[in-house]
Amino acid sequence: MEKKLKLALIGGQGHVGYVLRVLKDLPELDVCAVSSGCDAPADALAQNCVNLGYNPEIYADYIKMLDTEKPDIVSVCGPFELHAKMCCDCLERNISVFCEKPIALTLEDLDKIRAAYDKCDKSKVKIISMVGFRGESPFRTAYDAVEKGLIGKVKMINTRKSYKLGTRPAYYHKRETYGGTIPWVGSHALDWILWFGKSDFKTLYAVHDTADNGGNGDLEMTALVSCVLENNVMASASIEFLRPAAAPTHGDDQVRVAGTCGVVEVMHGKVTLITATECKELELLPERGIFYDFVRHILYGEPCVVDAEETFELTRACLAARDFADKNQL
Protein backbone atom coordinates (compact mmCIF):
# COMPACT_ATOMS: atom_id res chain seq x y z
CA MET A 1 0.00 0.00 0.00
CA GLU A 2 1.28 3.47 -0.87
CA LYS A 3 -0.55 5.02 2.06
CA LYS A 4 -0.68 3.25 5.42
CA LEU A 5 -3.75 3.22 7.62
CA LYS A 6 -3.37 5.32 10.74
CA LEU A 7 -3.86 3.57 14.07
CA ALA A 8 -4.33 5.47 17.34
CA LEU A 9 -4.41 3.93 20.80
CA ILE A 10 -6.59 5.14 23.67
CA GLY A 11 -5.42 3.66 26.95
CA GLY A 12 -3.59 0.54 28.03
CA GLN A 13 -6.10 -0.70 30.61
CA GLY A 14 -6.97 -4.23 29.60
CA HIS A 15 -6.00 -6.21 26.53
CA VAL A 16 -4.08 -3.67 24.46
CA GLY A 17 -1.60 -6.53 24.00
CA TYR A 18 -3.97 -7.96 21.39
CA VAL A 19 -2.95 -4.97 19.27
CA LEU A 20 0.71 -4.64 20.15
CA ARG A 21 1.71 -8.24 19.61
CA VAL A 22 0.47 -8.45 16.00
CA LEU A 23 1.65 -5.06 14.74
CA LYS A 24 4.79 -6.66 13.27
CA ASP A 25 2.50 -8.67 10.98
CA LEU A 26 0.57 -5.60 9.82
CA PRO A 27 2.92 -3.39 7.75
CA GLU A 28 -0.21 -1.69 6.42
CA LEU A 29 -0.54 0.18 9.75
CA ASP A 30 1.26 3.12 11.29
CA VAL A 31 0.76 3.93 14.98
CA CYS A 32 0.27 7.67 14.71
CA ALA A 33 -0.71 8.64 18.26
CA VAL A 34 -1.56 7.51 21.77
CA SER A 35 -3.60 8.90 24.65
CA SER A 36 -4.41 7.43 28.04
CA GLY A 37 -8.02 8.59 27.77
CA CYS A 38 -7.87 9.83 31.37
CA ASP A 39 -5.66 11.81 33.74
CA ALA A 40 -2.94 9.15 33.82
CA PRO A 41 0.09 9.66 31.56
CA ALA A 42 0.41 7.63 28.35
CA ASP A 43 4.20 7.42 28.47
CA ALA A 44 4.34 3.67 29.05
CA LEU A 45 1.93 3.01 26.20
CA ALA A 46 3.94 5.27 23.92
CA GLN A 47 7.18 3.52 24.90
CA ASN A 48 5.67 0.16 23.99
CA CYS A 49 5.00 1.55 20.52
CA VAL A 50 8.50 3.05 20.25
CA ASN A 51 9.94 -0.34 21.15
CA LEU A 52 8.09 -1.75 18.15
CA GLY A 53 9.54 0.85 15.81
CA TYR A 54 6.84 3.52 15.80
CA ASN A 55 7.02 7.18 16.79
CA PRO A 56 3.55 8.15 18.02
CA GLU A 57 2.49 11.58 19.20
CA ILE A 58 1.26 11.67 22.79
CA TYR A 59 -2.00 13.48 23.53
CA ALA A 60 -3.44 14.37 26.92
CA ASP A 61 -6.87 14.82 25.29
CA TYR A 62 -8.02 11.89 23.17
CA ILE A 63 -10.68 14.03 21.43
CA LYS A 64 -7.95 16.38 20.23
CA MET A 65 -6.02 13.32 19.07
CA LEU A 66 -8.98 12.09 17.01
CA ASP A 67 -9.58 15.50 15.42
CA THR A 68 -5.90 16.24 14.76
CA GLU A 69 -4.63 12.84 13.61
CA LYS A 70 -7.83 11.61 11.96
CA PRO A 71 -6.94 7.93 12.44
CA ASP A 72 -8.57 5.15 10.45
CA ILE A 73 -8.68 2.72 13.38
CA VAL A 74 -8.67 3.27 17.14
CA SER A 75 -7.93 0.75 19.87
CA VAL A 76 -10.01 1.63 22.95
CA CYS A 77 -8.57 0.38 26.24
CA GLY A 78 -9.36 3.35 28.43
CA PRO A 79 -11.29 3.38 31.72
CA PHE A 80 -14.17 0.91 31.52
CA GLU A 81 -16.80 3.54 32.28
CA LEU A 82 -15.62 5.60 29.29
CA HIS A 83 -15.69 2.82 26.70
CA ALA A 84 -19.14 3.78 25.41
CA LYS A 85 -18.32 7.48 25.03
CA MET A 86 -14.99 6.69 23.37
CA CYS A 87 -16.68 4.32 20.92
CA CYS A 88 -19.30 6.94 20.07
CA ASP A 89 -16.66 9.65 19.66
CA CYS A 90 -14.81 7.44 17.18
CA LEU A 91 -17.86 6.23 15.26
CA GLU A 92 -19.20 9.79 14.94
CA ARG A 93 -15.93 10.58 13.13
CA ASN A 94 -16.22 7.49 10.90
CA ILE A 95 -13.34 5.73 12.64
CA SER A 96 -13.32 1.94 13.05
CA VAL A 97 -13.10 0.73 16.66
CA PHE A 98 -11.39 -2.21 18.33
CA CYS A 99 -12.67 -1.91 21.90
CA GLU A 100 -11.96 -3.70 25.14
CA LYS A 101 -14.99 -5.61 26.37
CA PRO A 102 -17.55 -4.73 27.49
CA ILE A 103 -17.97 -1.85 25.07
CA ALA A 104 -20.55 -0.33 27.45
CA LEU A 105 -21.42 -0.67 31.13
CA THR A 106 -25.15 0.03 30.75
CA LEU A 107 -27.80 -0.96 28.22
CA GLU A 108 -28.55 2.73 27.69
CA ASP A 109 -24.96 3.41 26.68
CA LEU A 110 -24.97 0.35 24.43
CA ASP A 111 -27.97 1.83 22.62
CA LYS A 112 -25.98 5.04 22.07
CA ILE A 113 -23.15 3.09 20.43
CA ARG A 114 -25.66 1.22 18.29
CA ALA A 115 -27.20 4.51 17.15
CA ALA A 116 -23.79 5.98 16.30
CA TYR A 117 -22.79 2.85 14.41
CA ASP A 118 -26.04 2.77 12.44
CA LYS A 119 -25.21 6.22 11.05
CA CYS A 120 -21.84 5.02 9.72
CA ASP A 121 -21.03 3.62 6.32
CA LYS A 122 -20.78 -0.02 7.43
CA SER A 123 -18.82 -0.96 4.33
CA LYS A 124 -15.94 1.12 5.70
CA VAL A 125 -16.45 1.56 9.44
CA LYS A 126 -16.34 -1.48 11.75
CA ILE A 127 -16.55 -2.10 15.49
CA ILE A 128 -15.73 -5.26 17.44
CA SER A 129 -14.83 -6.03 21.04
CA MET A 130 -11.65 -7.74 22.24
CA VAL A 131 -12.93 -11.30 22.53
CA GLY A 132 -9.42 -12.56 21.90
CA PHE A 133 -10.04 -16.13 23.04
CA ARG A 134 -11.63 -16.76 19.65
CA GLY A 135 -8.15 -16.56 18.17
CA GLU A 136 -6.39 -18.79 20.69
CA SER A 137 -5.31 -22.25 19.54
CA PRO A 138 -7.46 -24.50 21.76
CA PHE A 139 -10.67 -22.60 21.09
CA ARG A 140 -10.00 -22.34 17.36
CA THR A 141 -9.40 -26.07 17.29
CA ALA A 142 -12.61 -26.91 19.15
CA TYR A 143 -14.60 -24.55 16.96
CA ASP A 144 -13.11 -26.15 13.85
CA ALA A 145 -14.23 -29.58 15.10
CA VAL A 146 -17.78 -28.28 15.57
CA GLU A 147 -17.73 -26.61 12.15
CA LYS A 148 -16.70 -29.90 10.54
CA GLY A 149 -19.69 -31.61 12.10
CA LEU A 150 -17.60 -33.97 14.21
CA ILE A 151 -20.05 -33.78 17.14
CA GLY A 152 -23.22 -33.48 15.06
CA LYS A 153 -25.85 -30.89 15.97
CA VAL A 154 -24.89 -28.77 18.97
CA LYS A 155 -27.32 -29.24 21.85
CA MET A 156 -25.60 -28.01 25.03
CA ILE A 157 -22.63 -25.80 25.96
CA ASN A 158 -20.98 -25.50 29.37
CA THR A 159 -18.25 -22.92 29.99
CA ARG A 160 -16.02 -21.97 32.91
CA LYS A 161 -13.96 -18.88 33.69
CA SER A 162 -11.89 -19.01 36.86
CA TYR A 163 -9.33 -16.29 37.70
CA LYS A 164 -6.96 -15.59 40.54
CA LEU A 165 -8.20 -12.62 42.53
CA GLY A 166 -4.77 -11.15 43.27
CA THR A 167 -4.60 -7.46 44.08
CA ARG A 168 -7.18 -5.57 42.08
CA PRO A 169 -6.91 -1.83 41.27
CA ALA A 170 -9.37 0.49 42.97
CA TYR A 171 -11.63 0.78 39.93
CA TYR A 172 -12.61 -2.88 40.40
CA HIS A 173 -14.15 -1.96 43.75
CA LYS A 174 -17.02 0.12 42.35
CA ARG A 175 -19.75 -0.97 39.98
CA GLU A 176 -19.64 2.44 38.27
CA THR A 177 -16.03 1.92 37.17
CA TYR A 178 -15.81 -1.88 36.98
CA GLY A 179 -19.15 -2.81 35.49
CA GLY A 180 -19.44 -6.18 37.17
CA THR A 181 -17.81 -9.59 37.03
CA ILE A 182 -20.30 -10.99 34.52
CA PRO A 183 -19.52 -8.32 31.88
CA TRP A 184 -15.76 -8.39 32.61
CA VAL A 185 -14.78 -12.02 33.24
CA GLY A 186 -18.02 -13.61 32.12
CA SER A 187 -17.97 -11.93 28.72
CA HIS A 188 -15.51 -14.56 27.50
CA ALA A 189 -17.70 -17.41 28.74
CA LEU A 190 -20.85 -15.94 27.19
CA ASP A 191 -18.94 -15.25 23.99
CA TRP A 192 -18.02 -18.94 23.71
CA ILE A 193 -21.71 -19.75 24.06
CA LEU A 194 -22.65 -17.23 21.35
CA TRP A 195 -19.83 -18.41 19.07
CA PHE A 196 -20.24 -22.18 19.38
CA GLY A 197 -24.02 -21.95 19.60
CA LYS A 198 -24.37 -19.83 16.44
CA SER A 199 -27.46 -18.07 17.73
CA ASP A 200 -28.52 -15.06 19.76
CA PHE A 201 -29.62 -15.36 23.38
CA LYS A 202 -33.32 -15.98 24.01
CA THR A 203 -33.55 -16.31 27.80
CA LEU A 204 -31.07 -15.68 30.62
CA TYR A 205 -30.99 -16.47 34.32
CA ALA A 206 -28.12 -15.21 36.46
CA VAL A 207 -26.95 -14.85 40.04
CA HIS A 208 -23.81 -13.29 41.52
CA ASP A 209 -22.40 -12.65 44.98
CA THR A 210 -19.94 -10.17 46.51
CA ALA A 211 -19.38 -12.16 49.73
CA ASP A 212 -15.82 -13.21 50.67
CA ASN A 213 -14.23 -10.93 48.08
CA GLY A 214 -11.29 -9.88 50.24
CA GLY A 215 -12.47 -6.32 50.82
CA ASN A 216 -12.84 -5.52 47.13
CA GLY A 217 -16.03 -3.49 47.49
CA ASP A 218 -18.66 -4.17 44.81
CA LEU A 219 -16.63 -6.84 43.01
CA GLU A 220 -18.65 -10.03 42.61
CA MET A 221 -16.56 -13.02 43.62
CA THR A 222 -18.81 -15.61 42.01
CA ALA A 223 -21.44 -15.67 39.28
CA LEU A 224 -23.50 -18.21 37.40
CA VAL A 225 -25.41 -17.72 34.14
CA SER A 226 -27.85 -20.18 32.58
CA CYS A 227 -29.35 -19.46 29.20
CA VAL A 228 -31.19 -20.74 26.14
CA LEU A 229 -30.32 -19.54 22.65
CA GLU A 230 -32.83 -18.72 19.93
CA ASN A 231 -32.07 -22.09 18.30
CA ASN A 232 -32.84 -23.81 21.65
CA VAL A 233 -29.24 -24.70 22.46
CA MET A 234 -28.97 -24.76 26.27
CA ALA A 235 -25.87 -23.32 27.96
CA SER A 236 -24.28 -22.32 31.24
CA ALA A 237 -21.35 -20.22 32.41
CA SER A 238 -19.53 -20.60 35.73
CA ILE A 239 -17.57 -17.43 36.59
CA GLU A 240 -15.42 -16.76 39.65
CA PHE A 241 -12.26 -15.30 41.20
CA LEU A 242 -11.55 -18.45 43.23
CA ARG A 243 -8.51 -19.80 41.41
CA PRO A 244 -5.84 -20.49 44.07
CA ALA A 245 -2.66 -18.41 44.07
CA ALA A 246 -0.49 -21.53 43.64
CA ALA A 247 -2.24 -22.56 40.41
CA PRO A 248 0.13 -22.77 37.42
CA THR A 249 -1.82 -20.24 35.33
CA HIS A 250 -3.80 -17.08 36.07
CA GLY A 251 -6.94 -18.44 34.48
CA ASP A 252 -8.73 -21.74 34.10
CA ASP A 253 -10.68 -21.55 30.84
CA GLN A 254 -12.90 -24.46 29.91
CA VAL A 255 -15.55 -25.20 27.29
CA ARG A 256 -17.61 -28.33 26.73
CA VAL A 257 -19.79 -28.53 23.62
CA ALA A 258 -22.12 -31.53 23.46
CA GLY A 259 -23.81 -32.55 20.23
CA THR A 260 -25.94 -35.35 18.84
CA CYS A 261 -22.85 -37.32 17.73
CA GLY A 262 -20.21 -36.44 20.30
CA VAL A 263 -18.54 -33.98 22.63
CA VAL A 264 -15.58 -31.63 22.25
CA GLU A 265 -13.86 -30.24 25.35
CA VAL A 266 -11.28 -27.53 25.94
CA MET A 267 -9.44 -28.01 29.21
CA HIS A 268 -5.97 -26.98 30.40
CA GLY A 269 -4.98 -25.87 26.90
CA LYS A 270 -5.87 -29.22 25.33
CA VAL A 271 -8.81 -30.23 23.13
CA THR A 272 -10.45 -33.64 23.40
CA LEU A 273 -12.94 -35.09 20.95
CA ILE A 274 -15.20 -37.93 22.12
CA THR A 275 -17.56 -39.76 19.75
CA ALA A 276 -19.21 -43.17 19.59
CA THR A 277 -16.05 -44.67 18.09
CA GLU A 278 -13.10 -42.70 19.48
CA CYS A 279 -11.70 -40.49 22.20
CA LYS A 280 -8.68 -38.48 21.14
CA GLU A 281 -6.76 -35.29 21.72
CA LEU A 282 -6.86 -33.00 18.69
CA GLU A 283 -3.80 -31.35 17.19
CA LEU A 284 -4.03 -27.63 17.89
CA LEU A 285 -4.50 -25.10 15.13
CA PRO A 286 -2.11 -22.12 15.25
CA GLU A 287 -3.10 -19.00 17.13
CA ARG A 288 -4.62 -16.21 15.06
CA GLY A 289 -4.62 -12.65 16.37
CA ILE A 290 -8.09 -11.14 16.52
CA PHE A 291 -6.78 -7.64 15.77
CA TYR A 292 -4.91 -9.03 12.76
CA ASP A 293 -8.23 -10.43 11.51
CA PHE A 294 -9.95 -7.10 12.16
CA VAL A 295 -7.45 -5.07 10.14
CA ARG A 296 -7.40 -7.54 7.25
CA HIS A 297 -11.20 -7.42 7.22
CA ILE A 298 -11.19 -3.63 6.98
CA LEU A 299 -8.50 -3.53 4.32
CA TYR A 300 -9.31 -6.51 2.13
CA GLY A 301 -12.74 -7.76 3.15
CA GLU A 302 -11.30 -10.98 4.55
CA PRO A 303 -13.45 -12.85 7.11
CA CYS A 304 -13.11 -11.73 10.72
CA VAL A 305 -13.64 -14.13 13.60
CA VAL A 306 -16.16 -11.74 15.19
CA ASP A 307 -18.37 -8.99 13.78
CA ALA A 308 -20.26 -5.95 14.98
CA GLU A 309 -23.59 -7.73 15.40
CA GLU A 310 -22.01 -10.39 17.63
CA THR A 311 -20.31 -7.63 19.61
CA PHE A 312 -23.62 -5.89 20.27
CA GLU A 313 -25.40 -9.16 21.10
CA LEU A 314 -22.66 -10.29 23.49
CA THR A 315 -22.62 -6.95 25.30
CA ARG A 316 -26.40 -6.90 25.56
CA ALA A 317 -26.42 -10.42 27.03
CA CYS A 318 -23.67 -9.65 29.56
CA LEU A 319 -25.39 -6.50 30.80
CA ALA A 320 -28.82 -8.15 30.87
CA ALA A 321 -27.40 -11.07 32.88
CA ARG A 322 -25.71 -8.71 35.36
CA ASP A 323 -28.88 -6.67 35.78
CA PHE A 324 -30.95 -9.84 36.28
CA ALA A 325 -28.47 -11.01 38.92
CA ASP A 326 -28.74 -7.65 40.70
CA LYS A 327 -32.47 -8.22 41.10
CA ASN A 328 -31.91 -11.77 42.38
CA GLN A 329 -28.96 -11.08 44.68
CA LEU A 330 -27.99 -13.99 46.90
Side-chain angles (χ1 to χ4, degrees):
M1 294 181 65
E2 293 183 4
K3 183 180 179 181
K4 293 187 176 185
L5 291 186
K6 297 173 73 174
L7 168 67
L9 308 178
I10 302 177
Q13 182 174 300
H15 295 91
V16 69
Y18 287 150
V19 175
L20 298 177
R21 66 173 175 250
V22 298
L23 285 177
K24 66 181 185 301
D25 300 318
L26 292 167
E28 302 93 338
L29 292 185
D30 179 49
V31 182
C32 62
V34 301
S35 174
S36 70
C38 59
D39 294 336
D43 295 357
L45 180 60
Q47 187 59 53
N48 284 332
C49 297
V50 170
N51 294 342
L52 293 168
Y54 302 95
N55 186 31
E57 293 290 329
I58 300 177
Y59 286 81
D61 182 350
Y62 80 87
I63 294 291
K64 183 177 180 181
M65 177 182 75
L66 298 180
D67 291 338
T68 302
E69 300 290 339
K70 295 179 170 50
D72 301 288
I73 304 172
V74 169
S75 163
V76 173
C77 280
F80 297 172
E81 71 273 20
L82 296 180
H83 284 178
K85 183 179 186 306
M86 291 171 172
C87 287
C88 288
D89 288 334
C90 291
L91 293 173
E92 289 165 1
R93 291 164 172 78
N94 292 303
I95 300 169
S96 291
V97 184
F98 183 60
C99 184
E100 177 61 280
K101 45 76 191 169
I103 62 173
L105 296 191
T106 67
L107 290 167
E108 293 76 14
D109 279 349
L110 182 63
D111 288 342
K112 292 176 183 178
I113 303 174
R114 173 92 252 186
Y117 179 65
D118 284 343
K119 293 178 182 178
C120 295
D121 180 352
K122 296 184 180 63
S123 68
K124 298 178 181 178
V125 180
K126 313 292 181 181
I127 179 171
I128 65 170
S129 60
M130 297 185 183
V131 287
F133 277 95
R134 289 196 183 199
E136 293 195 3
S137 295
F139 300 96
R140 285 194 67 211
T141 303
Y143 184 80
D144 182 65
V146 173
E147 280 286 274
K148 289 177 177 176
L150 299 184
I151 65 167
K153 180 182 178 181
V154 174
K155 296 291 291 183
M156 181 168 284
I157 304 168
N158 304 109
T159 64
R160 183 166 86 184
K161 285 293 297 182
S162 176
Y163 280 163
K164 295 179 182 179
L165 179 62
T167 301
R168 295 281 157 175
Y171 59 82
Y172 278 85
H173 302 172
K174 296 182 179 180
R175 169 63 65 80
E176 294 78 11
T177 53
Y178 172 42
T181 294
I182 292 176
W184 175 238
V185 180
S187 57
H188 294 301
L190 293 183
D191 183 59
W192 293 327
I193 292 170
L194 178 67
W195 188 33
F196 283 97
K198 294 181 177 299
S199 181
D200 288 351
F201 294 88
K202 180 168 66 176
T203 61
L204 286 162
Y205 168 84
V207 289
H208 57 198
D209 187 20
T210 61
D212 306 306
N213 71 0
N216 282 284
D218 297 338
L219 180 145
E220 297 91 5
M221 197 69 170
T222 54
L224 184 67
V225 180
S226 297
C227 55
V228 179
L229 304 184
E230 293 286 355
N231 59 4
N232 292 324
V233 169
M234 300 178 188
S236 67
S238 170
I239 307 152
E240 32 89 352
F241 281 108
L242 297 173
R243 188 152 172 80
T249 59
H250 175 66
D252 180 14
D253 307 305
Q254 299 185 22
V255 175
R256 180 181 184 272
V257 185
T260 53
C261 299
V263 172
V264 64
E265 296 177 324
V266 179
M267 187 181 298
H268 307 313
K270 298 179 180 180
V271 182
T272 303
L273 173 69
I274 309 170
T275 68
T277 58
E278 62 180 347
C279 176
K280 65 179 182 180
E281 184 178 327
L282 299 180
E283 182 177 351
L284 297 182
L285 295 175
E287 182 175 342
R288 187 176 180 90
I290 184 175
F291 183 66
Y292 178 88
D293 265 12
F294 184 54
V295 174
R296 299 283 297 185
H297 178 62
I298 292 170
L299 281 170
Y300 310 117
E302 295 180 3
C304 187
V305 72
V306 63
D307 62 25
E309 294 307 320
E310 290 175 300
T311 295
F312 284 110
E313 175 63 9
L314 172 64
T315 310
R316 182 187 71 84
C318 288
L319 298 178
R322 180 205 63 195
D323 292 350
F324 186 100
D326 281 347
K327 296 175 183 178
N328 295 273
Q329 196 74 276
L330 294 179

